[in-house]
Amino acid sequence: MMLTQLIRPNIKALQPYTAARDIYNTNQTNYLFLDANENPNNNGLNRYPDPQQTALKQRLAAIKGIQTNALIIGNGSDEILDLLFRVFCEPNKDAVLIVPPTYGMYEVLANINAVNTIKVPLTSTFQLPVSAILAAATTNCKLLFLCSPNNPTANSFQAADVETLLQKFNGIVVIDEAYIDFSDTESWLTRLDDFPNLVVIQTLSKAIGLAGIRVGLGMASAEIIALLNRIKPPYNINQLSQEIALTRLENIPLINSEIEQLKQERKRLIKAFRELKVVVKVHPSDANFLLIEVDNAAKRYQQLLKLGILVRDRSQELGCTNCLRISIGTPSENNQLLAVLRQLAK
Ligand code: PMP
């Protein structure tokens, strides 16, 4: 597979926008900044942010053990997913392949970009049907989305299956690792050098606890990252988000202890759910949420809602009849949920 064959012709020919601040760092004070039509009065936020997010990128690349040119930062990982469509998928011509039930934005983004979605359902144990995926992948199928751990099923895919797809799928394999920090399975980041068609997506919205600042990560070969950089909005990560992310990443032990607590709570909730009358099945989870099958999802969802507890009813998803998806909260929130569910059981 040659990367150049996958790129949309208009993107190949594109002359990218050059931001005023592309070539130097705003932190340097020995310039008169008369280049970007800003308000010159200093209030701490009157300047455009660093379009390359240099400091944050250096920090994240060091944490992930990759080069900075293998990383793009997006306004949430949703922005990076959208950039992938716009670099590789020709509207009204190309296709992408998804394996439902999975994260809903892949199909929504395909629809927004007028790109066809090929769907190959996961097996009954929510694993990858490798031969069926390869058989369904048409020549104009540019992207394959694998979410592992998968939302909403909560499990990780078997590494051998993912590896086969990385070897045999004739396009870009996007592995969405939004929930990887809650899993004991290894990230595919360590394999970037082995697979030129691999894109790994991660986010600061989950384990890192910064959903409010919208920072997502795309990691791939320097060639793919350069393509995504060509089309990203110039100042896509605002200054506050860059600063807050850097501050939060100074305290890795705190982040790790929060992840540990969530994993403990996951274990406790699984055990407690299994003892509830309304629960038929608790699916194994590698994420910070549980997919549970209940006796009547629509009814239980409404009852919880009336009592002020919001969960997701995923019953409409393939293979998820009567399933609720429940995020793991703080110990006290989880206790409140359990108390309510025990009441419902009576
Ligand atoms: N991927 C998956 C699997 C998700 O569940 C989510 C958010 N729910 C995202 C990506 C998007 O995350 P964000 O845009 O906050 O980085």
Side-chain angles (χ1 to χ4, degrees):
M1 191 259 326
M2 287 289 290
L3 188 60
T4 51
Q5 288 164 359
L6 296 175
I7 307 165
R8 280 171 66 188
N10 64 316
I11 300 299
K12 246 188 261 183
L14 181 80
Q15 186 66 46
Y17 179 77
T18 47
R21 299 288 150 74
D22 267 340
I23 50 164
Y24 49 78
N25 194 323
T26 324
N27 293 332
Q28 278 180 274
T29 47
N30 54 341
Y31 289 115
L32 293 188
F33 289 111
L34 304 178
D35 58 340
N37 305 345
E38 299 147 333
N39 181 329
N41 299 296
N42 183 9
N43 61 20
L45 289 168
N46 57 312
R47 298 293 177 198
Y48 281 101
D50 177 1
Q52 314 294 344
Q53 306 103 26
T54 314
L56 181 55
K57 229 178 240 174
Q58 278 166 357
R59 182 77 183 111
L60 285 168
I63 291 170
K64 302 293 170 192
I66 56 172
Q67 301 292 315
T68 50
N69 66 1
L71 168 67
I72 181 167
I73 303 177
N75 189 1
S77 47
D78 283 342
E79 182 180 45
I80 298 169
L81 295 171
D82 185 50
L83 294 179
L84 286 164
F85 275 90
R86 291 194 284 139
V87 162
F88 293 110
C89 301
E90 190 71 13
N92 303 309
K93 175 169 174 271
D94 288 337
V96 298
L97 199 153
I98 67 169
V99 284
T102 192
Y103 182 43
M105 276 303 281
Y106 311 139
E107 189 177 4
V108 172
L109 287 168
N111 291 338
I112 291 169
N113 287 288
V115 168
N116 187 30
T117 306
I118 302 168
K119 296 183 196 173
V120 181
L122 293 174
T123 68
S124 59
T125 53
F126 298 138
Q127 286 296 328
L128 294 166
V130 175
S131 338
I133 292 171
L134 291 171
T138 48
T139 46
N140 65 342
C141 181
K142 298 291 189 66
L143 307 171
L144 166 61
F145 289 97
L146 306 178
C147 183
S148 186
N150 187 36
N151 178 6
T153 62
N155 63 306
S156 301
F157 298 139
Q158 281 163 22
D161 291 344
V162 175
E163 180 139 7
T164 306
L165 291 169
L166 278 162
Q167 281 160 356
K168 300 201 171 152
F169 177 71
N170 220 357
I172 305 287
V173 180
V174 183
I175 304 186
D176 186 341
E177 295 188 337
Y179 299 98
I180 190 69
D181 295 318
F182 305 108
S183 163
D184 294 329
T185 61
E186 211 190 321
S187 164
W188 286 90
L189 261 187
T190 54
R191 308 294 303 277
L192 279 184
D193 289 341
D194 299 335
F195 301 108
N197 60 339
L198 168 62
V199 175
V200 177
I201 300 289
Q202 293 185 4
T203 180
L204 301 196
S205 298
K206 310 293 178 185
I208 312 299
L210 292 177
I213 67 167
R214 312 300 300 124
V215 172
L217 283 62
M219 292 158 286
S221 70
E223 289 75 19
I224 292 178
I225 296 302
L227 283 166
L228 298 171
N229 270 323
R230 277 162 64 82
I231 69 159
K232 81 169 183 67
Y235 303 106
N236 62 328
I237 309 297
N238 71 67
Q239 183 186 324
L240 297 175
S241 293
Q242 295 186 45
E243 288 170 1
I244 291 165
L246 272 169
T247 305
R248 173 78 171 159
L249 292 169
E250 275 168 19
N251 200 343
I252 302 285
L254 173 66
I255 294 169
N256 286 339
S257 74
E258 291 179 4
I259 294 170
E260 213 31 60
Q261 184 184 63
L262 266 156
K263 284 172 148 181
Q264 288 300 325
E265 283 297 290
R266 177 172 72 194
K267 210 160 143 190
R268 181 171 80 92
L269 275 183
I270 290 174
K271 192 161 172 286
F273 281 165
R274 286 202 172 121
E275 285 159 11
L276 292 172
K277 259 204 218 136
V278 294
V279 175
V280 177
K281 181 174 182 179
V282 185
H283 288 276
S285 173
D286 252 356
N288 66 338
F289 57 86
L290 294 172
L291 186 74
I292 63 170
E293 185 184 331
V294 293
D295 52 352
N296 182 336
K299 177 174 156 191
R300 300 307 179 189
Y301 172 84
Q302 285 301 335
Q303 287 177 323
L304 288 173
L305 186 62
K306 280 210 186 83
L307 295 165
I309 298 180
L310 291 172
V311 298
R312 284 303 284 273
D313 181 353
R314 301 278 80 183
S315 318
Q316 303 310 315
E317 303 273 345
L318 220 57
C320 296
T321 309
N322 276 325
C323 280
L324 299 176
R325 195 197 69 192
I326 303 183
S327 307
I328 293 160
T330 63
S332 122
E333 288 174 334
N334 299 333
N335 287 341
Q336 289 177 57
L337 169 72
L338 284 172
V340 165
L341 286 173
R342 283 189 190 114
Q343 286 299 316
L344 297 186
K346 280 184 188 160

